[in-house]
Amino acid sequence: MRILAVDEPSSRGLRLLKGLRELGYGLDVDNAGRCLALLSGGVYAVLLLALLSPSAWDLLDALDDAPDRPSVLTFLEPGDPNAETRARALGAQEVIALPCSLTELVVSLPDPLRPQSAGRLHVVGLALDLARRRVGRAEHPNDP
């Protein structure tokens, strides 16, 4: 199963998507207009959707009628106290406030999507074991 991300033109969103690809996730990026057609094939387990425009909210609302609706993980800008409640009412399983880290995004994804080859990731002196959700110092090969 793959992840479909609705095109988010900000550099912050692009960094997150690049990070997911580097970790080995199967990820496709397309625009909101083609999203419903792509979801009808049942290929995607998760939809990443930044709720930053009225068209993104419309897409989330339209997903109710999608026959092969995936899990929906949404991103929200801080400041609207009702946005999370509205997103969940429209069927978002996860709501993440922006800005967020790649780690926060990865732990929000369903376990079956985790790449089998991801194993460990070394970042700035840390060893991240994504499968076991552990963090240790990179200089100790048996950590985490």
Side-chain angles (χ1 to χ4, degrees):
M1 297 297 268
R2 296 183 62 79
I3 299 169
L4 176 61
V6 174
D7 188 21
E8 211 302 334
S10 77
S11 60
R12 176 177 44 213
L14 294 175
R15 280 193 308 269
L16 290 173
L17 299 180
K18 181 180 176 194
L20 286 177
R21 282 195 177 116
E22 288 173 355
L23 291 173
Y25 283 89
L27 175 70
D28 297 319
V29 180
D30 215 311
N31 64 44
R34 289 183 19 101
C35 184
L36 288 175
L38 291 170
L39 292 175
S40 67
V43 173
Y44 298 101
V46 172
L47 173 67
L48 301 179
L49 179 62
L51 296 172
L52 305 176
S53 68
S55 63
W57 284 99
D58 291 343
L59 174 59
L60 182 58
D61 190 30
L63 285 172
D64 259 351
D65 300 326
D68 296 314
R69 181 190 172 107
S71 294
V72 180
L73 194 151
T74 58
F75 301 94
L76 294 169
E77 290 285 353
D80 182 355
N82 299 316
E84 181 175 352
T85 302
R86 182 176 170 211
R88 290 193 186 277
L90 291 172
Q93 282 78 21
E94 292 284 336
V95 179
I96 297 176
L98 292 174
C100 77
S101 68
L102 179 59
T103 303
E104 185 177 1
L105 174 56
V106 167
V107 299
S108 297
L109 293 171
D111 284 339
L113 279 178
R114 295 197 199 292
Q116 298 303 314
S117 62
R120 291 186 181 175
L121 174 68
H122 296 277
V123 180
V124 192
L126 295 176
L128 304 169
D129 184 336
L130 298 176
R132 296 186 303 175
R133 295 183 182 188
R134 290 186 166 176
V135 177
R137 294 187 186 273
E139 62 264 18
H140 299 292
N142 293 328
D143 282 351

